[in-house]
């Protein structure tokens, strides 16, 4: 009763449902990561060094690091990570061009983000303005587009276990 459930059985059902949902989320996450890794491995192309460097610096900033203050070893790891991200982004763009179902329109992305911010208790319009002013809006939009493409890939991939 203290947990707001009528009976032990109701509590057990709720916990079981949550556990099953979490297991499915983890499974989808692992499949998505495997698909992304495989896509990067299968597509060998050069990434412009300026683009890799820009992305590497963005990764460092996101992790609270200052590019001028990190070691060469850490810089190299960021550059390696950025190369994979840029390649994956290019691959996703190609998939979106070929598969309309793997993408969202600008209006759908805005609606998706608005709903997300609202569910988090934030003023969506304020978040959009701040993100645009800080230069983060394009990254947020790209992340949503990549997430939708990833979901499409997971849904439409043949999984061999």
């Amino acid at each position: 009763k203290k947990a707001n459930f009528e009976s032990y059985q109701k509590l057990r059902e709720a916990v079981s449902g949550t556990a099953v949902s979490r297991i499915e989320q983890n499974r989808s996450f692992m499949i998505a990561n495997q698909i992304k890794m495989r896509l990067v491995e299968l597509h060998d192309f050069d990434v412009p060094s300026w683009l890799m460097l820009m992305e590497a610096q963005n990764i460092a900033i996101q992790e609270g690091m200052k590019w001028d203050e990190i070691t060469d070893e850490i810089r190299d790891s960021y550059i390696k990570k950025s190369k994979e991200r840029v390649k994956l982004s290019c691959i996703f763009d190609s998939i979106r061009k070929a598969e309309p179902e793997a993408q969202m329109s600008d209006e759908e992305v805005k609606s998706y983000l608005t709903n997300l911010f609202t569910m988090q208790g934030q003023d969506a319009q304020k978040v959009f303005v701040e993100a645009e002013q800080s230069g983060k809006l394009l990254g947020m939009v790209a992340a949503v587009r990549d997430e939708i493409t990833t979901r499409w890939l997971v849904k439409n991939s043949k999984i061999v276990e």
Side-chain angles (χ1 to χ4, degrees):
K1 299 264 181 193
K2 288 183 181 179
N4 292 327
F5 289 96
E6 296 172 12
S7 67
Y8 175 74
Q9 183 61 30
K10 294 283 185 191
L11 173 64
R12 190 173 158 95
E13 288 171 6
V15 170
S16 178
T18 301
V20 167
S21 174
R22 188 73 180 132
I23 289 168
E24 185 56 36
Q25 284 177 340
N26 285 338
R27 182 179 183 278
S28 290
F29 179 77
M30 289 188 306
I31 289 170
N33 282 341
Q34 288 176 0
I35 289 170
K36 289 185 230 180
M37 286 182 352
R38 191 80 171 127
L39 284 171
V40 171
E41 288 172 7
L42 291 174
H43 295 86
D44 186 28
F45 56 90
D46 291 330
V47 174
S49 59
W50 64 268
L51 192 54
M52 275 192 316
L53 183 59
M54 189 173 72
E55 179 66 15
Q57 291 172 345
N58 283 334
I59 294 169
I61 289 168
Q62 289 171 358
E63 294 183 2
M65 307 292 273
K66 294 185 178 177
W67 189 255
D68 296 336
E69 298 175 6
I70 59 177
T71 65
D72 289 342
E73 184 179 327
I74 294 173
R75 268 194 200 120
D76 289 344
S77 72
Y78 283 143
I79 289 171
K80 181 177 187 252
K81 186 187 269 186
S82 73
K83 181 179 182 180
E84 292 172 1
R85 280 191 184 185
V86 171
K87 283 177 75 170
L88 187 60
S89 181
C90 292
I91 294 164
F92 277 3
D93 284 345
S94 295
I95 291 169
R96 285 189 281 265
K97 286 177 186 171
E99 298 292 343
E101 294 173 10
Q103 64 180 320
M104 283 183 152
S105 69
D106 291 343
E107 196 57 41
E108 289 171 321
V109 170
K110 184 177 181 184
S111 176
Y112 178 92
L113 286 170
T114 299
N115 290 337
L116 180 66
F117 299 144
T118 302
M119 285 176 21
Q120 294 172 347
Q122 299 178 21
D123 178 351
Q125 200 57 37
K126 183 179 175 185
V127 175
F128 280 121
V129 170
E130 290 173 0
E132 188 168 18
Q133 290 173 346
S134 68
K136 294 181 180 178
L137 185 58
L138 290 177
M140 291 166 51
V141 169
V144 170
R145 291 187 192 285
D146 288 352
E147 176 62 26
I148 297 306
T149 304
T150 300
R151 288 181 191 172
W152 183 87
L153 286 166
V154 169
K155 180 182 167 190
N156 292 286
S157 294
K158 180 179 177 186
I159 307 302
V160 179
E161 295 185 36

Coordinates of all heavy atoms in Angstrom, one line a residue, residues 7-63:
S7 N -2.1 -4.3 -4.5 CA -1.7 -5.6 -3.9 C -0.3 -5.9 -4.3 O 0.3 -5.2 -5.2 CB -2.7 -6.7 -4.4 OG -2.5 -6.8 -5.9
Y8 N 0.2 -6.9 -3.7 CA 1.5 -7.4 -4.0 C 1.6 -7.8 -5.5 O 2.6 -7.5 -6.2 CB 1.9 -8.5 -3.1 CG 3.3 -9.1 -3.5 CD1 4.5 -8.5 -3.2 CD2 3.3 -10.4 -4.1 CE1 5.7 -9.0 -3.5 CE2 4.6 -10.9 -4.4 CZ 5.7 -10.3 -4.1 OH 6.9 -10.8 -4.5
Q9 N 0.6 -8.4 -6.0 CA 0.5 -8.9 -7.4 C 0.6 -7.7 -8.3 O 1.3 -7.8 -9.3 CB -0.8 -9.7 -7.6 CG -0.9 -10.3 -9.0 CD 0.2 -11.2 -9.4 OE1 0.7 -11.9 -8.5 NE2 0.6 -11.3 -10.6
K10 N -0.1 -6.6 -8.0 CA -0.1 -5.4 -8.9 C 1.4 -4.8 -8.9 O 1.9 -4.4 -10.0 CB -1.1 -4.4 -8.4 CG -2.5 -4.8 -8.6 CD -2.9 -4.7 -10.0 CE -4.4 -5.0 -10.1 NZ -4.9 -5.2 -11.4
L11 N 2.0 -4.8 -7.8 CA 3.4 -4.3 -7.7 C 4.3 -5.2 -8.5 O 5.1 -4.7 -9.3 CB 3.8 -4.3 -6.2 CG 5.3 -4.0 -6.0 CD1 5.6 -2.6 -6.5 CD2 5.7 -4.1 -4.5
R12 N 4.1 -6.5 -8.3 CA 4.9 -7.5 -9.1 C 4.8 -7.3 -10.6 O 5.7 -7.3 -11.3 CB 4.6 -8.9 -8.6 CG 5.4 -9.9 -9.1 CD 5.0 -11.3 -8.4 NE 5.5 -12.4 -9.2 CZ 6.6 -13.0 -8.9 NH1 7.3 -12.7 -7.9 NH2 6.9 -14.0 -9.7
E13 N 3.5 -7.1 -11.0 CA 3.3 -6.9 -12.5 C 3.9 -5.6 -13.0 O 4.5 -5.6 -14.1 CB 1.7 -6.8 -12.7 CG 1.1 -8.2 -12.6 CD -0.5 -8.1 -12.6 OE1 -1.0 -6.9 -12.8 OE2 -1.1 -9.1 -12.4
A14 N 3.9 -4.6 -12.2 CA 4.5 -3.3 -12.6 C 6.0 -3.4 -12.7 O 6.6 -3.0 -13.7 CB 4.1 -2.2 -11.6
V15 N 6.6 -4.1 -11.7 CA 8.0 -4.3 -11.7 C 8.4 -5.2 -12.9 O 9.4 -4.9 -13.6 CB 8.5 -4.9 -10.4 CG1 10.0 -5.4 -10.5 CG2 8.3 -3.9 -9.3
S16 N 7.7 -6.2 -13.1 CA 8.0 -7.1 -14.3 C 7.9 -6.4 -15.6 O 8.7 -6.5 -16.5 CB 7.0 -8.3 -14.2 OG 7.2 -9.2 -15.3
G17 N 6.8 -5.6 -15.7 CA 6.7 -4.8 -17.0 C 7.8 -3.8 -17.2 O 8.3 -3.7 -18.3
T18 N 8.3 -3.2 -16.1 CA 9.4 -2.3 -16.2 C 10.7 -3.0 -16.6 O 11.4 -2.5 -17.4 CB 9.6 -1.5 -14.9 OG1 8.4 -0.8 -14.6 CG2 10.7 -0.6 -14.9
A19 N 10.9 -4.2 -16.0 CA 12.1 -4.9 -16.3 C 12.1 -5.4 -17.7 O 13.1 -5.3 -18.4 CB 12.2 -6.1 -15.3
V20 N 11.0 -5.9 -18.2 CA 10.9 -6.3 -19.6 C 11.1 -5.2 -20.6 O 11.9 -5.3 -21.6 CB 9.5 -7.0 -19.9 CG1 9.3 -7.2 -21.4 CG2 9.4 -8.3 -19.2
S21 N 10.6 -4.0 -20.3 CA 10.8 -2.8 -21.1 C 12.2 -2.4 -21.1 O 12.8 -2.1 -22.2 CB 9.9 -1.7 -20.6 OG 10.2 -0.5 -21.2
R22 N 12.9 -2.5 -20.0 CA 14.3 -2.1 -19.9 C 15.2 -3.0 -20.6 O 16.1 -2.6 -21.3 CB 14.7 -2.0 -18.4 CG 16.0 -1.5 -18.2 CD 16.0 0.0 -18.4 NE 17.4 0.5 -18.1 CZ 18.0 1.3 -18.9 NH1 17.5 1.8 -20.0 NH2 19.2 1.7 -18.6
I23 N 14.9 -4.3 -20.6 CA 15.6 -5.3 -21.3 C 15.5 -5.1 -22.8 O 16.5 -5.1 -23.5 CB 15.2 -6.8 -20.9 CG1 15.6 -7.1 -19.5 CG2 15.7 -7.8 -21.9 CD1 15.0 -8.3 -18.9
E24 N 14.3 -4.8 -23.3 CA 14.1 -4.5 -24.7 C 14.8 -3.2 -25.1 O 15.4 -3.2 -26.2 CB 12.6 -4.4 -25.0 CG 12.3 -4.2 -26.5 CD 12.8 -5.3 -27.4 OE1 12.9 -6.5 -27.0 OE2 13.3 -5.0 -28.5
Q25 N 14.8 -2.2 -24.3 CA 15.6 -1.0 -24.6 C 17.1 -1.3 -24.7 O 17.7 -0.8 -25.7 CB 15.4 0.1 -23.5 CG 14.0 0.8 -23.5 CD 13.9 1.7 -22.4 OE1 14.6 1.7 -21.3 NE2 13.0 2.7 -22.5
N26 N 17.6 -2.0 -23.8 CA 19.0 -2.4 -23.9 C 19.3 -3.2 -25.1 O 20.4 -3.0 -25.7 CB 19.4 -3.2 -22.6 CG 19.6 -2.3 -21.4 OD1 19.8 -1.1 -21.5 ND2 19.5 -2.9 -20.2
R27 N 18.4 -4.1 -25.5 CA 18.6 -4.9 -26.6 C 18.7 -4.1 -27.9 O 19.6 -4.2 -28.7 CB 17.5 -6.0 -26.8 CG 17.7 -6.9 -28.0 CD 16.6 -8.0 -28.0 NE 16.7 -8.9 -29.1 CZ 16.4 -8.6 -30.3 NH1 15.8 -7.5 -30.6 NH2 16.6 -9.5 -31.3
S28 N 17.7 -3.2 -28.0 CA 17.7 -2.2 -29.1 C 18.9 -1.4 -29.2 O 19.5 -1.1 -30.3 CB 16.4 -1.4 -29.1 OG 15.3 -2.1 -29.3
F29 N 19.3 -0.9 -28.1 CA 20.5 -0.1 -28.0 C 21.8 -0.8 -28.5 O 22.6 -0.3 -29.3 CB 20.7 0.4 -26.5 CG 22.0 1.3 -26.3 CD1 22.0 2.6 -26.7 CD2 23.1 0.7 -25.8 CE1 23.1 3.4 -26.6 CE2 24.3 1.5 -25.6 CZ 24.3 2.8 -26.0
M30 N 21.9 -2.1 -28.0 CA 23.1 -2.9 -28.5 C 23.0 -3.2 -30.0 O 24.0 -3.1 -30.7 CB 23.1 -4.2 -27.6 CG 23.6 -3.9 -26.2 SD 23.9 -5.4 -25.2 CE 22.5 -6.4 -25.4
I31 N 21.8 -3.5 -30.5 CA 21.7 -3.7 -31.9 C 22.0 -2.5 -32.7 O 22.7 -2.5 -33.7 CB 20.2 -4.2 -32.2 CG1 20.0 -5.6 -31.7 CG2 20.0 -4.2 -33.7 CD1 18.6 -6.1 -31.7
A32 N 21.5 -1.3 -32.2 CA 21.8 0.0 -32.9 C 23.3 0.2 -33.0 O 23.8 0.6 -34.0 CB 21.1 1.1 -32.2
N33 N 24.0 0.0 -31.8 CA 25.4 0.2 -31.8 C 26.2 -0.7 -32.8 O 27.1 -0.3 -33.4 CB 26.0 0.1 -30.4 CG 25.7 1.3 -29.6 OD1 25.4 2.4 -30.1 ND2 25.8 1.1 -28.3
Q34 N 25.7 -2.0 -32.8 CA 26.3 -3.0 -33.7 C 26.1 -2.5 -35.2 O 27.0 -2.6 -36.0 CB 25.8 -4.4 -33.5 CG 26.3 -5.0 -32.2 CD 25.6 -6.3 -31.9 OE1 24.8 -6.8 -32.7 NE2 26.0 -6.9 -30.8
I35 N 24.9 -2.1 -35.5 CA 24.6 -1.6 -36.9 C 25.5 -0.4 -37.2 O 26.1 -0.4 -38.3 CB 23.1 -1.3 -37.0 CG1 22.3 -2.5 -37.0 CG2 22.9 -0.5 -38.3 CD1 20.8 -2.3 -36.9
K36 N 25.6 0.5 -36.3 CA 26.5 1.7 -36.6 C 27.9 1.3 -36.8 O 28.6 1.8 -37.7 CB 26.3 2.7 -35.5 CG 25.0 3.4 -35.4 CD 25.0 4.5 -34.4 CE 23.8 4.4 -33.4 NZ 23.8 5.4 -32.4
M37 N 28.4 0.5 -35.9 CA 29.8 0.0 -36.0 C 30.1 -0.7 -37.4 O 31.1 -0.4 -38.1 CB 30.2 -0.9 -34.9 CG 30.4 -0.2 -33.6 SD 30.9 -1.1 -32.1 CE 30.8 -2.8 -32.6
R38 N 29.1 -1.5 -37.7 CA 29.2 -2.3 -39.0 C 29.2 -1.3 -40.2 O 29.9 -1.5 -41.2 CB 28.1 -3.3 -39.1 CG 28.3 -4.3 -40.1 CD 29.3 -5.4 -39.7 NE 29.2 -6.4 -40.7 CZ 30.2 -6.9 -41.4 NH1 31.4 -6.5 -41.1 NH2 30.1 -7.8 -42.3
L39 N 28.3 -0.4 -40.2 CA 28.2 0.6 -41.3 C 29.6 1.3 -41.5 O 30.0 1.5 -42.6 CB 27.1 1.6 -41.0 CG 25.7 1.1 -41.3 CD1 24.7 2.1 -40.8 CD2 25.5 0.8 -42.7
V40 N 30.1 1.8 -40.4 CA 31.4 2.5 -40.4 C 32.5 1.6 -41.0 O 33.3 2.0 -41.8 CB 31.8 3.1 -39.1 CG1 33.2 3.6 -39.1 CG2 30.8 4.2 -38.7
E41 N 32.5 0.3 -40.5 CA 33.5 -0.6 -40.9 C 33.4 -0.9 -42.4 O 34.4 -1.1 -43.1 CB 33.4 -2.0 -40.2 CG 33.8 -1.9 -38.7 CD 33.5 -3.2 -38.0 OE1 33.0 -4.2 -38.6 OE2 33.7 -3.2 -36.8
L42 N 32.2 -1.0 -42.9 CA 32.0 -1.4 -44.3 C 32.2 -0.3 -45.3 O 32.2 -0.6 -46.5 CB 30.6 -2.0 -44.5 CG 30.3 -3.4 -43.8 CD1 28.8 -3.7 -43.9 CD2 31.2 -4.4 -44.4
H43 N 32.2 0.9 -44.9 CA 32.3 2.0 -45.8 C 33.7 2.8 -45.6 O 33.8 3.5 -44.6 CB 31.2 3.0 -45.6 CG 29.9 2.4 -46.0 ND1 29.1 1.7 -45.1 CD2 29.2 2.4 -47.1 CE1 28.0 1.3 -45.7 NE2 28.1 1.7 -47.0
D44 N 34.6 2.5 -46.5 CA 35.9 3.1 -46.4 C 36.0 4.3 -47.3 O 36.0 4.1 -48.5 CB 37.0 2.1 -46.7 CG 38.4 2.6 -46.4 OD1 38.5 3.5 -45.5 OD2 39.3 2.2 -47.1
F45 N 36.0 5.5 -46.7 CA 36.2 6.7 -47.5 C 36.9 7.8 -46.7 O 36.9 7.7 -45.5 CB 34.9 7.3 -48.1 CG 33.8 7.6 -47.0 CD1 33.8 8.8 -46.4 CD2 32.9 6.6 -46.6 CE1 32.8 9.1 -45.5 CE2 32.0 6.8 -45.7 CZ 31.9 8.1 -45.1
D46 N 37.6 8.7 -47.4 CA 38.3 9.7 -46.7 C 37.4 10.8 -46.1 O 36.4 11.2 -46.8 CB 39.3 10.4 -47.6 CG 40.5 9.4 -48.0 OD1 40.8 8.6 -47.1 OD2 41.0 9.6 -49.1
V47 N 37.7 11.2 -44.9 CA 37.0 12.3 -44.3 C 37.9 13.5 -44.3 O 39.0 13.4 -43.9 CB 36.6 11.9 -42.9 CG1 35.9 13.1 -42.1 CG2 35.7 10.7 -42.9
P48 N 37.4 14.7 -44.7 CA 38.2 15.9 -44.7 C 38.8 16.2 -43.4 O 38.1 16.1 -42.3 CB 37.3 17.0 -45.2 CG 36.2 16.3 -45.9 CD 36.0 15.0 -45.2
S49 N 40.1 16.4 -43.3 CA 40.8 16.6 -42.0 C 40.2 17.8 -41.2 O 40.1 17.7 -40.0 CB 42.3 16.8 -42.2 OG 42.5 17.9 -43.1
W50 N 39.8 18.9 -41.9 CA 39.3 20.0 -41.2 C 37.9 19.7 -40.5 O 37.6 20.2 -39.5 CB 39.1 21.2 -42.2 CG 38.1 21.0 -43.3 CD1 38.3 20.5 -44.5 CD2 36.7 21.2 -43.2 NE1 37.2 20.4 -45.3 CE2 36.1 20.8 -44.5 CE3 35.8 21.6 -42.2 CZ2 34.8 20.9 -44.8 CZ3 34.4 21.7 -42.5 CH2 33.9 21.3 -43.8
L51 N 37.2 18.8 -41.2 CA 35.9 18.4 -40.6 C 36.1 17.5 -39.4 O 35.4 17.6 -38.4 CB 35.1 17.7 -41.7 CG 33.6 17.4 -41.4 CD1 32.9 18.7 -41.0 CD2 32.9 16.8 -42.6
M52 N 37.1 16.6 -39.5 CA 37.4 15.7 -38.3 C 37.9 16.6 -37.2 O 37.5 16.3 -36.0 CB 38.5 14.7 -38.7 CG 38.0 13.5 -39.4 SD 39.3 12.2 -39.5 CE 40.8 13.0 -40.0
L53 N 38.8 17.5 -37.5 CA 39.3 18.4 -36.4 C 38.2 19.2 -35.7 O 38.2 19.3 -34.5 CB 40.4 19.3 -37.0 CG 41.1 20.2 -36.0 CD1 41.8 19.4 -34.9 CD2 42.1 21.1 -36.7
M54 N 37.3 19.8 -36.5 CA 36.2 20.5 -36.0 C 35.3 19.7 -35.1 O 35.0 20.1 -34.0 CB 35.4 21.1 -37.1 CG 34.3 22.1 -36.7 SD 33.5 22.9 -38.1 CE 32.5 21.6 -38.7
E55 N 35.0 18.5 -35.5 CA 34.2 17.5 -34.7 C 34.9 17.1 -33.5 O 34.3 17.0 -32.4 CB 33.8 16.3 -35.6 CG 33.0 15.3 -34.8 CD 31.6 15.8 -34.4 OE1 31.1 16.8 -34.9 OE2 31.0 15.1 -33.6
A56 N 36.2 16.9 -33.6 CA 37.0 16.5 -32.4 C 37.0 17.6 -31.4 O 36.9 17.3 -30.2 CB 38.5 16.1 -32.9
Q57 N 37.1 18.8 -31.8 CA 37.1 19.9 -30.9 C 35.7 20.0 -30.2 O 35.6 20.3 -29.0 CB 37.5 21.2 -31.6 CG 38.9 21.3 -32.0 CD 39.3 22.4 -32.9 OE1 38.5 23.1 -33.4 NE2 40.6 22.7 -33.0
N58 N 34.7 19.8 -31.0 CA 33.3 19.8 -30.4 C 33.2 18.7 -29.4 O 32.5 18.9 -28.3 CB 32.3 19.6 -31.5 CG 32.0 20.9 -32.3 OD1 32.2 22.0 -31.8 ND2 31.6 20.8 -33.5
I59 N 33.7 17.5 -29.7 CA 33.6 16.4 -28.7 C 34.3 16.8 -27.4 O 33.8 16.6 -26.3 CB 34.2 15.1 -29.3 CG1 33.4 14.6 -30.4 CG2 34.3 14.0 -28.2 CD1 34.0 13.5 -31.2
A60 N 35.5 17.4 -27.5 CA 36.3 17.8 -26.4 C 35.5 18.8 -25.5 O 35.4 18.7 -24.3 CB 37.6 18.4 -26.8
I61 N 34.9 19.8 -26.2 CA 34.1 20.8 -25.5 C 32.9 20.2 -24.8 O 32.6 20.5 -23.6 CB 33.6 21.9 -26.5 CG1 34.7 22.8 -27.0 CG2 32.5 22.8 -25.9 CD1 34.4 23.7 -28.1
Q62 N 32.2 19.2 -25.4 CA 31.1 18.5 -24.8 C 31.5 17.8 -23.6 O 30.8 17.6 -22.6 CB 30.5 17.5 -25.8 CG 29.7 18.2 -26.9 CD 29.3 17.2 -28.0 OE1 29.6 16.0 -27.9 NE2 28.6 17.7 -29.0
E63 N 32.8 17.3 -23.6 CA 33.3 16.6 -22.4 C 34.0 17.5 -21.4 O 34.7 17.0 -20.5 CB 34.2 15.5 -22.9 CG 33.4 14.4 -23.7 CD 34.3 13.2 -24.1 OE1 35.5 13.2 -23.8 OE2 33.8 12.3 -24.8

